[in-house]
Structure formats: structure tokens, C-alpha cells
Amino acid sequence: TVGRVARTRAPVLILGESGTGKELIADALHRTSPRAAKAAVKINMGAITSSLFESEMFGHVRGAFTDARSDRRGHIAHAQGSTLFMDEIGELNRGDQVKLLRVLQDQSYRPVGASAAEQADIRVVSATNRELAELVAAGEFREDLYYRLNLITLRLPPLRERRSDIALIALRLIADLAADYGLGEVSLST
């Protein structure tokens, strides 16, 4: 499924329990896409406070607010021509959901304090361990944003239902850690 979906520009929503490999699927989608030449931009949406959402996502211009001493590009600008991976999308509050929806609808955004909008040539991949359909029914997540994000939905079964993937995921995590710490090639013993 990842191979078929990767070549499209369609937004992808990855659903699954914590630890099921949602970010690995997002990485695979990006690596096998036409946008792979540029690095994907990854954001934990639960870590962005509402007061900083616009500045973090859209950037700002010098003088837009008290501490804006220089122009700053936001996550969307950094993802231009690439993939924007928004992890924990279910944690986004309703006010910020509206702001994100506008970007997805118009494919443009306006940095804080800017007078002109900028184009957003991004491929959106989102992930959550929450059931967004239930959040929509409870009025906690905007239905229109939900349908913009999940044009294609990938549901990852929990690892307890696919035990053969555990070794592969562990090897990937260990290889990433070894690369981060400058260690040589690593392996797992069974």
C-alpha cells in the first residue's frame, strides 16, 4: 500500500497504537515519493502550544511581535517541495485546526506579520494513536479537517498482531541510534 500511495500527492492519515511504527511508515512514504530529494519535516503537534502555533507553522517577519527580531521560516516553508509529517494530529486544538485547514484548502499560508501569502507546495502525512472519527463525533476535531487529512488512511495493526515486524523495527531503531552515536554496524542476537 505504501508503494502505491507514495507516488501520489494525496494526504495520508496513519492510524495506530503508540509504538506500532507510524513514523516508520511516514518515512517510507517520503523516501519512495517524488519528493524524496528533500528532507521531510517532522512535527509533534502535541508539543506546539496554541500561542506559538502560527509562528511555528507559518513563520513570522521581523517586528511581527515583541521578540521577532528577524524573519523566521516556519515548518511549512521548511517542507516546501517535500513532505510535512504531523505526528499526534489528534492533539491539535480546534482553534489551530481552523488555521491548518486553511493551508490545506488554499495551499497557501501567511507568515505572522507578513502582508502577502506564500504558496505551500507540501505533501501532508499525519499520524495519531487516537480515533479521529470518534473525536469528530464528539465535536473535538473538525470534520472538514478530518476529511482533508484522511484522503488515504493507513491503519497499522498493533505489534501484538504482527510479531514478525518487531525484529525489523528493533533493528531500525538500533541502526538509527548507532548512526547517531557514531557506532559501527550493530546487530541483534535472538
Side-chain angles (χ1 to χ4, degrees), residues 131-149:
E131 284 296 331
L132 288 188
E134 291 175 10
L135 295 177
V136 168
E140 297 175 34
F141 201 87
R142 291 183 60 97
E143 186 174 18
D144 45 3
L145 179 58
Y146 173 66
Y147 287 114
R148 286 276 178 188
L149 292 173

Side-chain angles (χ1 to χ4, degrees), residues 20-173:
T20 56
K22 295 183 294 293
E23 188 171 342
L24 294 176
I25 295 297
D27 287 341
L29 280 167
H30 176 70
R31 279 193 326 272
T32 56
S33 78
R35 296 170 178 265
K38 290 188 69 180
V41 174
K42 300 176 183 181
I43 312 157
N44 180 339
M45 300 306 281
I48 299 177
T49 64
S50 187
S51 61
L52 295 177
F53 180 82
E54 287 182 88
S55 182
E56 286 288 317
M57 294 299 288
F58 310 141
H60 61 257
V61 297
R62 183 175 181 256
F65 48 87
T66 305
D67 288 333
R69 295 188 180 102
S70 62
D71 291 357
R72 182 181 172 282
R73 295 173 64 211
H75 295 305
I76 292 174
H78 285 288
Q80 190 71 3
S82 187
T83 301
L84 179 67
F85 175 57
M86 297 183 291
D87 199 8
E88 302 304 338
I89 193 71
E91 302 302 319
L92 194 60
N93 72 50
R94 284 191 61 88
D96 294 336
Q97 291 173 27
V98 174
K99 298 167 189 169
L100 180 59
L101 177 63
R102 177 144 321 270
V103 174
L104 298 178
Q105 286 175 333
D106 300 343
Q107 296 180 359
S108 67
Y109 64 98
R110 186 181 314 263
V112 177
S115 57
E118 298 185 18
Q119 290 301 303
D121 176 20
I122 56 175
R123 194 311 167 68
V124 174
V125 177
S126 311
T128 184
N129 60 4
R130 301 180 72 188
E131 284 296 331
L132 288 188
E134 291 175 10
L135 295 177
V136 168
E140 297 175 34
F141 201 87
R142 291 183 60 97
E143 186 174 18
D144 45 3
L145 179 58
Y146 173 66
Y147 287 114
R148 286 276 178 188
L149 292 173
N150 84 343
L151 191 60
I152 298 170
T153 301
L154 300 176
R155 186 172 294 275
L156 290 180
L159 287 175
R160 65 184 166 276
E161 294 177 13
R162 51 186 180 79
R163 292 187 184 278
S164 62
D165 288 352
I166 293 173
L168 294 171
I169 292 171
L171 282 171
R172 169 66 189 268
L173 293 173

